[in-house]
Amino acid sequence: MRDVRIDRRGFLRGVGGVAAGVAAATSLSACGTGTSRSVGSGGKSSKTLVVRNSGGSYGDANQQAIYEPFTKETGIQVKVVNIEYAQMLAQIKQGRPQFDVIDDSMADFVLFKQQDATEDLDHDRLKNFKNAGIAKALVTSNAVGKNYWASVMAYRTDAFDGRKPASWADFWDAKTFSGNRALQALDADLPELEFALLADGVALDRLYPLDVDRAFKVLSEIKPHVRKFWDTGALPGVLLGRKEVDASSVWHGRLDALIKGGAPLAYQWNGARRQSNALGIPKGAANLDAAYQLIDFALRPEVQAAYAEIYPMAPSVPAAYKKLSAGTAANLASSPEHLESGFDLDVEWWIKNQDAVSKRWQEWTHA
């Protein structure tokens, strides 16, 4: 979903690259979406809170569903900056972060923790967190999960003689479900080793630590049928739409417009690989109280639901589903049904193993 400004190519970074980024990135690059509308004082705060997010349509949804209602309620204006991990870390290390709240991938928060760059959250200051029921995988000492996205299977409904692939095992079964495939390239995001293991019969709750040798053996079985390793979020829809492939992995949400327009495409949610964005506070934030207020506001079920109605990233707070339309709820990664049939990517495993897996992936794709 790099196209919607989730920084997926830079989703995980080596510590050496981070150090280089700190040396190079020393100034604020604010290309954000401006500030939310001002409201009268009325006894409310006149502070301005600076939030970092990745911008684009993702940032627009934040503005509409979170920042503007937050300003209306509190009087605290919200300014947005779009800067990446290395630049954020550089400012924090210099003791002058020019942002108060970080909206970023959970993986970056793991790296921030390693660098002692973020506050340990005081959950007592987040009243909406206490009974929110947020999954343990989305809660760390320095971050709380805001929403999910997922990688799923997509296929043409007019292929396979009307049969519907129901699992990654079916995706790998090129005899029963004959046709071309597409899988994600390393340039787009993490290699899809988990899908290969699921195809080979590994249970969802036994995926990690990943058996890398087994995964590449299974990947080699489907490789002759892979027409394309896609490197942009839009490409699976193009390949499926042109009938160049009959099935592909895809970032969920990228086919919604095509499906609504009548294209014979569908998602298969079994084995979906979920990832998440989270909220946290940098060390040295100038507006600590207001930062806690915004994070707490974003965890309200009604706010989570409003966001999901606008943008296809799923709530981290289960109670939000009671406030969502049935159509929206059925198409989100954290719906009760999809939570059972999918899995959360193990961020810490990937941080430890990404370099080795990436090297092997490059060798495997060029073999």
Side-chain angles (χ1 to χ4, degrees), residues 238-281:
V238 173
L239 295 171
L240 287 162
R242 292 176 177 172
K243 297 187 179 182
E244 293 184 36
V245 302
D246 298 301
S248 176
S249 59
V250 65
W251 297 332
H252 170 253
R254 292 312 310 249
L255 303 183
D256 286 3
L258 295 172
I259 293 171
K260 289 178 182 177
L265 306 175
Y267 298 116
Q268 170 50 254
W269 280 95
N270 283 338
R273 184 172 77 172
R274 293 187 298 267
Q275 300 183 50
S276 58
N277 262 28
L279 297 169
I281 302 173

Side-chain angles (χ1 to χ4, degrees), residues 1 8 147-153 168 184 189 192 195 230 249-254 267-269 271-277 312-314 331-334 338 342-345:
M1 293 173 68
R8 297 173 71 90
N147 43 32
Y148 293 93
W149 71 86
S151 296
V152 300
M153 185 200 309
W168 288 107
Q184 184 174 269
D189 196 2
E192 296 166 332
F195 298 159
W230 54 268
S249 59
V250 65
W251 297 332
H252 170 253
R254 292 312 310 249
Y267 298 116
Q268 170 50 254
W269 280 95
R273 184 172 77 172
R274 293 187 298 267
Q275 300 183 50
S276 58
N277 262 28
M313 286 181 72
N331 196 38
L332 292 173
S334 63
H338 296 156
F343 64 94
D344 293 320
L345 178 140

Side-chain angles (χ1 to χ4, degrees), residues 22 25 32 59 80 116 142 144 161 179 217 268 278 330 356:
V22 170
V80 179
D116 192 30
N142 65 331
V144 57
D161 296 323
K217 180 181 178 181
Q268 170 50 254

Side-chain angles (χ1 to χ4, degrees), residues 9-63:
R9 177 176 291 185
F11 181 71
L12 301 174
R13 303 166 177 82
V15 174
V18 169
V22 170
T26 58
S27 64
L28 176 68
S29 174
C31 52
T33 55
T35 61
S36 61
R37 64 178 181 273
S38 177
V39 296
S41 57
K44 297 178 181 177
S45 172
S46 59
K47 287 182 180 179
T48 295
L49 185 71
V50 183
V51 181
R52 180 273 171 197
N53 68 42
S54 52
S57 54
Y58 175 79
D60 292 342
N62 278 296
Q63 191 79 17

